[in-house]
Amino acid sequence: MPVREQVSFVGAKGKLAGNLYLPDADAAAAAAGVLVAGTWTSVKEQMADRYAQELAARGYAALSFDFSGYGESEGQPRDYESPAAKADDLGAAADFLAGHPAVADGTLGVLGICAGAMYASAFAAQDTRVRALALIAPWLHDRRVCEENYGGPEGIATKKEAAAEARRRYEEAGEVTYVPVVSGNIPEAAMPFDIDFYLNPERGGIPQWPNRYAVMAWAEWLDHDAIALASRVTVPTLLVHSEDAAIPDGARRFHAAWPVPHSSRGLRAPSSTSTTRHPRSAWPPMPPPSTSPARCEQRRPLDPQKQDDHHARNR
């Protein structure tokens, strides 16, 4: 039965808090390690914990954690969305797994969910320890995708102007300007919609998540180019997406930019979700999946179907 260890390790901005899910407390053999990165602005309890738990039930040692400035982790400013900083935090998490006795050497995989796929792929592109990558309902953007989703060049300019003013205020007075991540009645919200996953306390609207977005983060977020990094991702990669999920064009273009031939092209399955694979795609070796239901202590279990519904529609 999977077990959870509450762990901490040092990142560039202070201590990072995480949960390490292991296949079995008494397992004699070390397990392949996987880092799990949840979507933007999230804390580990919202989704990363659940994926890590399910991976542990299938034989992996899976680590979910709060990125710098989020949840139980240290770091200032709080709730600041930085793709570069999150990729660096994944490096610190990889250091931790590499030194853990329950994790096998040379087996590191990384799984990114939604916008977490941008951070996971950026980390895989820069760190040779990564042996396999999985991108689940990935939000993968560049300037074109951002313009299509944030009001064109004018919308981008407006957000960057707000970010510059927020940065000035932070540097002069130490005050962080926030807007809600999700709100159906505040146009300045990062996602100005009523999204049930984030607002429903039975789903992702949990007490650990403050629903706030640091406005000065817009500049770095909008300038990040995940598509340009695709050519540097050379490890076996699994990409799961759908025409009904967020920005399928970004996933298609990322897939097309991989530097080796693919076993399939496009998002074409008749079912709601299709899978594309790098031809060498294989996660680090693991034991056969258990036939028994996964059981593990979790702070806030979330229904998998509800998670899938969210990932199919939202960052």
Side-chain angles (χ1 to χ4, degrees), residues 1-34:
M1 182 175 72
V3 295
R4 184 188 68 171
E5 289 184 7
Q6 292 181 296
V7 300
S8 63
F9 49 95
V10 177
K13 294 185 177 182
K15 184 176 70 174
L16 301 177
N19 291 319
L20 177 61
Y21 291 85
L22 300 172
D24 192 322
D26 300 320
V34 180

PDB file of all heavy atoms in Angstrom, residues 1-34:
ATOM      1  N   MET A   1       0.843  -1.192   0.000  1.00  0.00           N
ATOM      2  CA  MET A   1       0.000   0.000   0.000  1.00  0.00           C
ATOM      3  C   MET A   1       0.882   1.247   0.000  1.00  0.00           C
ATOM      4  O   MET A   1       1.843   1.326   0.765  1.00  0.00           O
ATOM      5  CB  MET A   1      -0.905   0.008   1.231  1.00  0.00           C
ATOM      6  CG  MET A   1      -1.850   1.193   1.301  1.00  0.00           C
ATOM      7  SD  MET A   1      -2.999   1.100   2.697  1.00  0.00           S
ATOM      8  CE  MET A   1      -1.877   1.444   4.067  1.00  0.00           C
ATOM      9  N   PRO A   2       0.608   2.242  -0.863  1.00  0.00           N
ATOM     10  CA  PRO A   2       1.422   3.455  -0.882  1.00  0.00           C
ATOM     11  C   PRO A   2       1.421   4.176   0.457  1.00  0.00           C
ATOM     12  O   PRO A   2       0.430   4.162   1.189  1.00  0.00           O
ATOM     13  CB  PRO A   2       0.747   4.307  -1.962  1.00  0.00           C
ATOM     14  CG  PRO A   2       0.009   3.340  -2.809  1.00  0.00           C
ATOM     15  CD  PRO A   2      -0.437   2.245  -1.883  1.00  0.00           C
ATOM     16  N   VAL A   3       2.530   4.783   0.755  1.00  0.00           N
ATOM     17  CA  VAL A   3       2.660   5.567   1.981  1.00  0.00           C
ATOM     18  C   VAL A   3       3.162   6.960   1.615  1.00  0.00           C
ATOM     19  O   VAL A   3       3.785   7.158   0.570  1.00  0.00           O
ATOM     20  CB  VAL A   3       3.623   4.910   2.983  1.00  0.00           C
ATOM     21  CG1 VAL A   3       3.079   3.589   3.468  1.00  0.00           C
ATOM     22  CG2 VAL A   3       5.002   4.728   2.353  1.00  0.00           C
ATOM     23  N   ARG A   4       2.876   7.904   2.489  1.00  0.00           N
ATOM     24  CA  ARG A   4       3.282   9.281   2.264  1.00  0.00           C
ATOM     25  C   ARG A   4       4.272   9.721   3.320  1.00  0.00           C
ATOM     26  O   ARG A   4       4.059   9.521   4.512  1.00  0.00           O
ATOM     27  CB  ARG A   4       2.065  10.208   2.288  1.00  0.00           C
ATOM     28  CG  ARG A   4       2.411  11.661   1.972  1.00  0.00           C
ATOM     29  CD  ARG A   4       1.216  12.574   2.200  1.00  0.00           C
ATOM     30  NE  ARG A   4       0.880  12.666   3.624  1.00  0.00           N
ATOM     31  CZ  ARG A   4      -0.006  13.517   4.121  1.00  0.00           C
ATOM     32  NH1 ARG A   4      -0.664  14.331   3.320  1.00  0.00           N
ATOM     33  NH2 ARG A   4      -0.257  13.553   5.419  1.00  0.00           N
ATOM     34  N   GLU A   5       5.351  10.345   2.881  1.00  0.00           N
ATOM     35  CA  GLU A   5       6.307  10.987   3.776  1.00  0.00           C
ATOM     36  C   GLU A   5       6.217  12.498   3.558  1.00  0.00           C
ATOM     37  O   GLU A   5       6.323  12.969   2.425  1.00  0.00           O
ATOM     38  CB  GLU A   5       7.739  10.537   3.473  1.00  0.00           C
ATOM     39  CG  GLU A   5       8.079   9.119   3.840  1.00  0.00           C
ATOM     40  CD  GLU A   5       9.554   8.820   3.587  1.00  0.00           C
ATOM     41  OE1 GLU A   5      10.307   9.761   3.251  1.00  0.00           O
ATOM     42  OE2 GLU A   5       9.940   7.648   3.714  1.00  0.00           O
ATOM     43  N   GLN A   6       6.011  13.234   4.630  1.00  0.00           N
ATOM     44  CA  GLN A   6       6.095  14.686   4.527  1.00  0.00           C
ATOM     45  C   GLN A   6       7.564  15.070   4.576  1.00  0.00           C
ATOM     46  O   GLN A   6       8.286  14.707   5.510  1.00  0.00           O
ATOM     47  CB  GLN A   6       5.314  15.344   5.651  1.00  0.00           C
ATOM     48  CG  GLN A   6       3.806  15.154   5.545  1.00  0.00           C
ATOM     49  CD  GLN A   6       3.062  15.848   6.665  1.00  0.00           C
ATOM     50  OE1 GLN A   6       3.210  15.500   7.835  1.00  0.00           O
ATOM     51  NE2 GLN A   6       2.250  16.829   6.309  1.00  0.00           N
ATOM     52  N   VAL A   7       8.018  15.788   3.563  1.00  0.00           N
ATOM     53  CA  VAL A   7       9.440  16.067   3.414  1.00  0.00           C
ATOM     54  C   VAL A   7       9.662  17.554   3.190  1.00  0.00           C
ATOM     55  O   VAL A   7       8.724  18.319   2.903  1.00  0.00           O
ATOM     56  CB  VAL A   7      10.026  15.268   2.227  1.00  0.00           C
ATOM     57  CG1 VAL A   7       9.838  13.758   2.446  1.00  0.00           C
ATOM     58  CG2 VAL A   7       9.400  15.692   0.898  1.00  0.00           C
ATOM     59  N   SER A   8      10.899  17.967   3.317  1.00  0.00           N
ATOM     60  CA  SER A   8      11.289  19.333   2.960  1.00  0.00           C
ATOM     61  C   SER A   8      12.710  19.296   2.424  1.00  0.00           C
ATOM     62  O   SER A   8      13.493  18.389   2.735  1.00  0.00           O
ATOM     63  CB  SER A   8      11.198  20.276   4.171  1.00  0.00           C
ATOM     64  OG  SER A   8      12.104  19.884   5.190  1.00  0.00           O
ATOM     65  N   PHE A   9      13.021  20.267   1.602  1.00  0.00           N
ATOM     66  CA  PHE A   9      14.355  20.366   1.011  1.00  0.00           C
ATOM     67  C   PHE A   9      14.582  21.830   0.662  1.00  0.00           C
ATOM     68  O   PHE A   9      13.648  22.651   0.670  1.00  0.00           O
ATOM     69  CB  PHE A   9      14.504  19.460  -0.212  1.00  0.00           C
ATOM     70  CG  PHE A   9      13.378  19.577  -1.212  1.00  0.00           C
ATOM     71  CD1 PHE A   9      13.480  20.422  -2.305  1.00  0.00           C
ATOM     72  CD2 PHE A   9      12.209  18.837  -1.050  1.00  0.00           C
ATOM     73  CE1 PHE A   9      12.449  20.541  -3.216  1.00  0.00           C
ATOM     74  CE2 PHE A   9      11.171  18.949  -1.960  1.00  0.00           C
ATOM     75  CZ  PHE A   9      11.283  19.794  -3.049  1.00  0.00           C
ATOM     76  N   VAL A  10      15.802  22.177   0.348  1.00  0.00           N
ATOM     77  CA  VAL A  10      16.176  23.572   0.172  1.00  0.00           C
ATOM     78  C   VAL A  10      16.134  23.953  -1.299  1.00  0.00           C
ATOM     79  O   VAL A  10      16.714  23.281  -2.155  1.00  0.00           O
ATOM     80  CB  VAL A  10      17.577  23.842   0.744  1.00  0.00           C
ATOM     81  CG1 VAL A  10      17.987  25.295   0.498  1.00  0.00           C
ATOM     82  CG2 VAL A  10      17.605  23.543   2.238  1.00  0.00           C
ATOM     83  N   GLY A  11      15.421  25.042  -1.589  1.00  0.00           N
ATOM     84  CA  GLY A  11      15.410  25.630  -2.916  1.00  0.00           C
ATOM     85  C   GLY A  11      16.146  26.951  -2.913  1.00  0.00           C
ATOM     86  O   GLY A  11      16.704  27.373  -1.897  1.00  0.00           O
ATOM     87  N   ALA A  12      16.127  27.634  -4.051  1.00  0.00           N
ATOM     88  CA  ALA A  12      16.868  28.884  -4.171  1.00  0.00           C
ATOM     89  C   ALA A  12      16.320  29.979  -3.268  1.00  0.00           C
ATOM     90  O   ALA A  12      17.049  30.889  -2.876  1.00  0.00           O
ATOM     91  CB  ALA A  12      16.849  29.357  -5.625  1.00  0.00           C
ATOM     92  N   LYS A  13      15.026  29.904  -2.907  1.00  0.00           N
ATOM     93  CA  LYS A  13      14.402  30.954  -2.098  1.00  0.00           C
ATOM     94  C   LYS A  13      14.016  30.475  -0.709  1.00  0.00           C
ATOM     95  O   LYS A  13      13.248  31.144  -0.016  1.00  0.00           O
ATOM     96  CB  LYS A  13      13.169  31.495  -2.821  1.00  0.00           C
ATOM     97  CG  LYS A  13      13.493  32.221  -4.113  1.00  0.00           C
ATOM     98  CD  LYS A  13      12.247  32.843  -4.726  1.00  0.00           C
ATOM     99  CE  LYS A  13      12.577  33.629  -5.978  1.00  0.00           C
ATOM    100  NZ  LYS A  13      11.375  34.278  -6.562  1.00  0.00           N
ATOM    101  N   GLY A  14      14.531  29.319  -0.299  1.00  0.00           N
ATOM    102  CA  GLY A  14      14.219  28.831   1.034  1.00  0.00           C
ATOM    103  C   GLY A  14      13.728  27.397   1.008  1.00  0.00           C
ATOM    104  O   GLY A  14      13.850  26.686   0.003  1.00  0.00           O
ATOM    105  N   LYS A  15      13.167  26.970   2.123  1.00  0.00           N
ATOM    106  CA  LYS A  15      12.714  25.595   2.279  1.00  0.00           C
ATOM    107  C   LYS A  15      11.471  25.329   1.454  1.00  0.00           C
ATOM    108  O   LYS A  15      10.530  26.125   1.433  1.00  0.00           O
ATOM    109  CB  LYS A  15      12.430  25.303   3.756  1.00  0.00           C
ATOM    110  CG  LYS A  15      12.047  23.858   4.041  1.00  0.00           C
ATOM    111  CD  LYS A  15      11.866  23.616   5.528  1.00  0.00           C
ATOM    112  CE  LYS A  15      10.623  24.306   6.041  1.00  0.00           C
ATOM    113  NZ  LYS A  15      10.350  23.973   7.464  1.00  0.00           N
ATOM    114  N   LEU A  16      11.467  24.190   0.770  1.00  0.00           N
ATOM    115  CA  LEU A  16      10.312  23.751  -0.004  1.00  0.00           C
ATOM    116  C   LEU A  16       9.676  22.555   0.691  1.00  0.00           C
ATOM    117  O   LEU A  16      10.378  21.635   1.129  1.00  0.00           O
ATOM    118  CB  LEU A  16      10.730  23.363  -1.426  1.00  0.00           C
ATOM    119  CG  LEU A  16      11.410  24.461  -2.249  1.00  0.00           C
ATOM    120  CD1 LEU A  16      11.838  23.931  -3.612  1.00  0.00           C
ATOM    121  CD2 LEU A  16      10.498  25.664  -2.401  1.00  0.00           C
ATOM    122  N   ALA A  17       8.349  22.580   0.797  1.00  0.00           N
ATOM    123  CA  ALA A  17       7.616  21.525   1.491  1.00  0.00           C
ATOM    124  C   ALA A  17       6.973  20.596   0.472  1.00  0.00           C
ATOM    125  O   ALA A  17       6.389  21.055  -0.521  1.00  0.00           O
ATOM    126  CB  ALA A  17       6.534  22.141   2.385  1.00  0.00           C
ATOM    127  N   GLY A  18       7.060  19.298   0.734  1.00  0.00           N
ATOM    128  CA  GLY A  18       6.498  18.352  -0.216  1.00  0.00           C
ATOM    129  C   GLY A  18       5.979  17.092   0.441  1.00  0.00           C
ATOM    130  O   GLY A  18       6.123  16.883   1.654  1.00  0.00           O
ATOM    131  N   ASN A  19       5.367  16.260  -0.377  1.00  0.00           N
ATOM    132  CA  ASN A  19       4.919  14.926   0.011  1.00  0.00           C
ATOM    133  C   ASN A  19       5.558  13.913  -0.918  1.00  0.00           C
ATOM    134  O   ASN A  19       5.398  14.013  -2.151  1.00  0.00           O
ATOM    135  CB  ASN A  19       3.393  14.814  -0.080  1.00  0.00           C
ATOM    136  CG  ASN A  19       2.682  15.643   0.973  1.00  0.00           C
ATOM    137  OD1 ASN A  19       3.102  15.704   2.124  1.00  0.00           O
ATOM    138  ND2 ASN A  19       1.593  16.294   0.580  1.00  0.00           N
ATOM    139  N   LEU A  20       6.275  12.976  -0.353  1.00  0.00           N
ATOM    140  CA  LEU A  20       6.872  11.906  -1.134  1.00  0.00           C
ATOM    141  C   LEU A  20       6.030  10.659  -0.953  1.00  0.00           C
ATOM    142  O   LEU A  20       5.884  10.150   0.165  1.00  0.00           O
ATOM    143  CB  LEU A  20       8.313  11.642  -0.680  1.00  0.00           C
ATOM    144  CG  LEU A  20       9.034  10.485  -1.391  1.00  0.00           C
ATOM    145  CD1 LEU A  20       9.154  10.748  -2.886  1.00  0.00           C
ATOM    146  CD2 LEU A  20      10.410  10.251  -0.758  1.00  0.00           C
ATOM    147  N   TYR A  21       5.447  10.186  -2.039  1.00  0.00           N
ATOM    148  CA  TYR A  21       4.606   8.991  -2.016  1.00  0.00           C
ATOM    149  C   TYR A  21       5.436   7.809  -2.479  1.00  0.00           C
ATOM    150  O   TYR A  21       6.035   7.844  -3.569  1.00  0.00           O
ATOM    151  CB  TYR A  21       3.383   9.177  -2.918  1.00  0.00           C
ATOM    152  CG  TYR A  21       2.407  10.192  -2.387  1.00  0.00           C
ATOM    153  CD1 TYR A  21       2.575  11.553  -2.637  1.00  0.00           C
ATOM    154  CD2 TYR A  21       1.309   9.796  -1.624  1.00  0.00           C
ATOM    155  CE1 TYR A  21       1.677  12.489  -2.146  1.00  0.00           C
ATOM    156  CE2 TYR A  21       0.404  10.729  -1.131  1.00  0.00           C
ATOM    157  CZ  TYR A  21       0.592  12.061  -1.389  1.00  0.00           C
ATOM    158  OH  TYR A  21      -0.303  12.987  -0.898  1.00  0.00           O
ATOM    159  N   LEU A  22       5.477   6.772  -1.652  1.00  0.00           N
ATOM    160  CA  LEU A  22       6.283   5.584  -1.929  1.00  0.00           C
ATOM    161  C   LEU A  22       5.377   4.375  -2.112  1.00  0.00           C
ATOM    162  O   LEU A  22       4.316   4.289  -1.481  1.00  0.00           O
ATOM    163  CB  LEU A  22       7.265   5.331  -0.786  1.00  0.00           C
ATOM    164  CG  LEU A  22       8.261   6.464  -0.505  1.00  0.00           C
ATOM    165  CD1 LEU A  22       9.044   6.189   0.768  1.00  0.00           C
ATOM    166  CD2 LEU A  22       9.203   6.652  -1.690  1.00  0.00           C
ATOM    167  N   PRO A  23       5.785   3.431  -2.955  1.00  0.00           N
ATOM    168  CA  PRO A  23       4.928   2.270  -3.211  1.00  0.00           C
ATOM    169  C   PRO A  23       4.635   1.446  -1.967  1.00  0.00           C
ATOM    170  O   PRO A  23       3.530   0.950  -1.791  1.00  0.00           O
ATOM    171  CB  PRO A  23       5.729   1.459  -4.233  1.00  0.00           C
ATOM    172  CG  PRO A  23       6.690   2.429  -4.832  1.00  0.00           C
ATOM    173  CD  PRO A  23       7.005   3.418  -3.755  1.00  0.00           C
ATOM    174  N   ASP A  24       5.631   1.288  -1.105  1.00  0.00           N
ATOM    175  CA  ASP A  24       5.480   0.426   0.062  1.00  0.00           C
ATOM    176  C   ASP A  24       6.550   0.799   1.062  1.00  0.00           C
ATOM    177  O   ASP A  24       7.734   0.874   0.715  1.00  0.00           O
ATOM    178  CB  ASP A  24       5.622  -1.045  -0.342  1.00  0.00           C
ATOM    179  CG  ASP A  24       5.198  -1.995   0.764  1.00  0.00           C
ATOM    180  OD1 ASP A  24       5.482  -1.699   1.938  1.00  0.00           O
ATOM    181  OD2 ASP A  24       4.585  -3.030   0.459  1.00  0.00           O
ATOM    182  N   ALA A  25       6.158   1.005   2.296  1.00  0.00           N
ATOM    183  CA  ALA A  25       7.124   1.402   3.323  1.00  0.00           C
ATOM    184  C   ALA A  25       8.189   0.342   3.543  1.00  0.00           C
ATOM    185  O   ALA A  25       9.308   0.654   3.947  1.00  0.00           O
ATOM    186  CB  ALA A  25       6.395   1.692   4.639  1.00  0.00           C
ATOM    187  N   ASP A  26       7.867  -0.906   3.286  1.00  0.00           N
ATOM    188  CA  ASP A  26       8.803  -1.996   3.544  1.00  0.00           C
ATOM    189  C   ASP A  26       9.454  -2.537   2.274  1.00  0.00           C
ATOM    190  O   ASP A  26      10.059  -3.608   2.293  1.00  0.00           O
ATOM    191  CB  ASP A  26       8.074  -3.140   4.259  1.00  0.00           C
ATOM    192  CG  ASP A  26       7.484  -2.692   5.581  1.00  0.00           C
ATOM    193  OD1 ASP A  26       8.164  -1.917   6.291  1.00  0.00           O
ATOM    194  OD2 ASP A  26       6.352  -3.093   5.901  1.00  0.00           O
ATOM    195  N   ALA A  27       9.316  -1.823   1.150  1.00  0.00           N
ATOM    196  CA  ALA A  27       9.873  -2.318  -0.105  1.00  0.00           C
ATOM    197  C   ALA A  27      11.387  -2.421   0.000  1.00  0.00           C
ATOM    198  O   ALA A  27      12.068  -1.499   0.456  1.00  0.00           O
ATOM    199  CB  ALA A  27       9.478  -1.400  -1.249  1.00  0.00           C
ATOM    200  N   ALA A  28      11.906  -3.555  -0.448  1.00  0.00           N
ATOM    201  CA  ALA A  28      13.347  -3.769  -0.377  1.00  0.00           C
ATOM    202  C   ALA A  28      14.081  -3.041  -1.490  1.00  0.00           C
ATOM    203  O   ALA A  28      15.189  -2.537  -1.293  1.00  0.00           O
ATOM    204  CB  ALA A  28      13.636  -5.271  -0.450  1.00  0.00           C
ATOM    205  N   ALA A  29      13.484  -2.968  -2.669  1.00  0.00           N
ATOM    206  CA  ALA A  29      14.135  -2.350  -3.815  1.00  0.00           C
ATOM    207  C   ALA A  29      13.755  -0.879  -3.932  1.00  0.00           C
ATOM    208  O   ALA A  29      12.625  -0.493  -3.633  1.00  0.00           O
ATOM    209  CB  ALA A  29      13.746  -3.091  -5.094  1.00  0.00           C
ATOM    210  N   ALA A  30      14.713  -0.080  -4.376  1.00  0.00           N
ATOM    211  CA  ALA A  30      14.426   1.329  -4.629  1.00  0.00           C
ATOM    212  C   ALA A  30      13.530   1.455  -5.862  1.00  0.00           C
ATOM    213  O   ALA A  30      13.567   0.634  -6.773  1.00  0.00           O
ATOM    214  CB  ALA A  30      15.726   2.089  -4.839  1.00  0.00           C
ATOM    215  N   ALA A  31      12.710   2.503  -5.879  1.00  0.00           N
ATOM    216  CA  ALA A  31      11.754   2.711  -6.969  1.00  0.00           C
ATOM    217  C   ALA A  31      12.212   3.846  -7.870  1.00  0.00           C
ATOM    218  O   ALA A  31      12.978   4.726  -7.465  1.00  0.00           O
ATOM    219  CB  ALA A  31      10.369   3.030  -6.400  1.00  0.00           C
ATOM    220  N   ALA A  32      11.743   3.828  -9.108  1.00  0.00           N
ATOM    221  CA  ALA A  32      11.992   4.938 -10.021  1.00  0.00           C
ATOM    222  C   ALA A  32      11.328   6.200  -9.486  1.00  0.00           C
ATOM    223  O   ALA A  32      10.210   6.164  -8.973  1.00  0.00           O
ATOM    224  CB  ALA A  32      11.441   4.606 -11.406  1.00  0.00           C
ATOM    225  N   GLY A  33      12.013   7.333  -9.592  1.00  0.00           N
ATOM    226  CA  GLY A  33      11.511   8.586  -9.050  1.00  0.00           C
ATOM    227  C   GLY A  33      10.808   9.440 -10.091  1.00  0.00           C
ATOM    228  O   GLY A  33      11.235   9.493 -11.247  1.00  0.00           O
ATOM    229  N   VAL A  34       9.737  10.114  -9.674  1.00  0.00           N
ATOM    230  CA  VAL A  34       8.987  11.018 -10.551  1.00  0.00           C
ATOM    231  C   VAL A  34       8.694  12.311  -9.793  1.00  0.00           C
ATOM    232  O   VAL A  34       8.207  12.269  -8.658  1.00  0.00           O
ATOM    233  CB  VAL A  34       7.658  10.387 -11.021  1.00  0.00           C
ATOM    234  CG1 VAL A  34       6.916  11.364 -11.942  1.00  0.00           C
ATOM    235  CG2 VAL A  34       7.893   9.069 -11.729  1.00  0.00           C
TER     236      VAL A  34
END
